[in-house]
Amino acid sequence: MEQKILERDLSATLRTPDGAGPFPAVLALGGSDGGTPEYFLELLVREGFACLALAYWGTRDTQMTFTEIPLERVERGLRWLAAYPGVRAEDGRVGLIGASRGGELALLAAATFPRFAGPVVAYTPSSVAWVGIDISLPPGGTTRSSWAYRGVPLPYVSFPRGAAPVMTERGLSLLPMCEGGLVDADAVQRAAIAIERASGPVLLVSGGDDQVWPAGRMCEQLVERMAQHRRARDVEHLHFPRAGHMLFPYTRPSDTEIPAMPAALGGTAEADAAAHRAAWPEVVNHLRRKSAAQRAEDTPASDAGRGP
C-alpha cells in the first residue's frame, strides 16, 4: 500500500508491505538531489519494513534552497510514523536511514531527537554540519547554515575562500572543497555532530573512492567520537575501498525540482554493486535492532554496569 502524506510541515510518501502488520518502521531521507527518496521505498518495503520517505527540500511543498532546513521537519516525520497504525515502534522509536546530505541529516536528527529515533543507518554521511547551498547568494559573500533547530541556525563548516568544484571526466567533484573545509579545526569542533546523544545503534557505510566528500574519513571521526563517549559498541562502520559515493541502487526522485547536474561520484558500477551486496544484509539486520536505551531497559538489574 502506498499513500502520499501532505500535512502541516510534512511532505512524504508512505509505503507498507502487503498484509496487516505490524511492520517495523523506517523514516528515509534523501540527499542534495531533493524530493522524495523513492529508492528507499523500493529497497525497504521488500524487506518487510513500513517506510516513510520524507521530502525535506527541493519541492513546492518544502523549500527550494538547501539552507536552514528545520530539523523539526524530521521530528514531525518520526512522530507521525511512530503513531501510524500497523507499524511497530519500539518504545516510540522508529528506524532512520539517510544518504549523503540525508545521512548528515539522519545523524543530526538522531542526536537531536533520541526519544523518537531508534537504529540509524547513514550512507556516505558527514561528521559535521556543512554550509548551506543557495545559488542566489553572491559568490564569496554571505553564507548560511544548511540546518536550523528551534529557529536557530546550526554551526557549520564552510568551504575555503575561493574554493570551487573540480571538473573531471565524470562531472563535478566537491572533494577538494570538503577536504579544505575540514582543515579548519575550530569550525569542525563547533559543527561536529553530537552522535553520542543518539539512542543508537548507528551503522555507517562509506566508499574509499568517494569523489563528493571524504565520507570514509568523516565516518572514522564519528566512530572515534562514539568511543570517546564510551559508546564504541553502539557504532559500526562498513568501508569499501573501491566504491564511490552511491552504494545502493539509485533512481532520481520523481518530484524533485532541483536541476540535475553531472557529478563525479567515484567508484565503478561493479565496485558499487559489490558494496551494496555486502552492505545491504547488514543494513537490514541493523534496522531491526533495538536502541541502546531499549537494550538497557531489557538488561536485568544484576547485569547493569557491566562493560562490553
Side-chain angles (χ1 to χ4, degrees):
M1 181 191 75
E2 180 172 308
Q3 58 178 305
K4 176 68 177 178
I5 313 299
L6 188 57
E7 300 179 2
R8 179 182 58 84
D9 206 27
L10 178 61
S11 176
T13 298
L14 175 72
R15 188 182 298 176
T16 60
D18 294 334
F23 306 107
V26 180
L27 177 72
L29 301 167
S32 58
D33 44 7
T36 304
E38 295 140 332
Y39 41 86
F40 278 135
L41 294 174
E42 297 291 336
L43 288 167
L44 289 166
V45 173
R46 71 182 63 165
E47 301 289 350
F49 293 97
C51 180
L52 184 69
L54 183 73
Y56 62 89
W57 95 289
T59 69
R60 299 176 187 176
D61 300 315
T62 54
Q63 61 187 73
M64 293 303 294
T65 61
F66 205 114
T67 53
E68 297 178 13
I69 297 168
L71 298 187
E72 289 90 343
R73 201 164 283 167
V74 183
E75 180 189 20
R76 174 89 167 99
L78 291 168
R79 287 174 176 265
W80 190 97
L81 184 57
Y84 186 80
V87 307
R88 185 169 68 247
E90 299 287 349
D91 194 29
R93 296 179 177 92
V94 297
L96 189 56
I97 190 170
S100 191
R101 296 306 301 265
E104 176 185 338
L105 178 55
L107 295 175
L108 282 167
T112 307
F113 311 113
R115 176 65 183 81
F116 307 110
V120 181
V121 175
Y123 277 94
T124 57
S126 172
S127 58
V128 299
W130 281 94
V131 64
I133 303 171
D134 185 351
I135 61 174
S136 69
L137 295 175
T142 302
T143 59
R144 299 168 66 189
S145 178
S146 294
W147 319 107
Y149 179 50
R150 295 178 176 173
V152 179
L154 270 59
Y156 59 93
V157 174
S158 291
F159 301 132
R161 184 176 297 276
V166 175
M167 178 60 74
T168 71
E169 294 180 355
R170 300 175 65 179
L172 294 175
S173 171
L174 302 181
L175 181 60
M177 299 170 61
C178 293
E179 289 180 328
L182 293 176
V183 172
D184 188 341
D186 291 339
V188 168
Q189 183 177 16
R190 290 192 300 269
I193 299 173
I195 189 57
E196 72 279 359
R197 298 177 185 170
S199 63
V202 178
L203 178 64
L204 310 169
V205 187
S206 68
D209 190 36
D210 192 325
Q211 295 300 306
V212 174
W213 59 12
R217 172 184 172 187
M218 293 191 288
C219 284
E220 283 305 303
Q221 292 174 341
L222 291 162
V223 170
E224 292 171 8
R225 185 178 181 102
M226 288 287 274
Q228 290 168 1
H229 289 84
R230 304 177 63 85
R231 295 285 309 281
R233 68 175 183 173
D234 292 320
V235 63
E236 183 179 2
H237 178 201
L238 303 179
H239 183 68
F240 301 92
R242 296 184 179 181
H245 189 70
M246 196 58 64
L247 304 183
F248 54 84
Y250 167 83
T251 55
R252 183 170 169 79
S254 62
D255 60 345
T256 182
E257 298 191 24
I258 303 303
M261 294 195 311
L265 303 177
T268 64
E270 295 77 10
D272 292 351
H276 174 64
R277 289 194 299 271
W280 186 246
E282 300 294 328
V283 169
V284 172
N285 289 336
H286 181 86
L287 288 170
R288 293 191 174 120
R289 291 177 61 191
K290 291 186 176 181
S291 69
Q294 293 157 1
R295 294 199 305 275
E297 292 170 2
D298 292 342
T299 302
S302 60
D303 290 341
R306 293 184 181 179

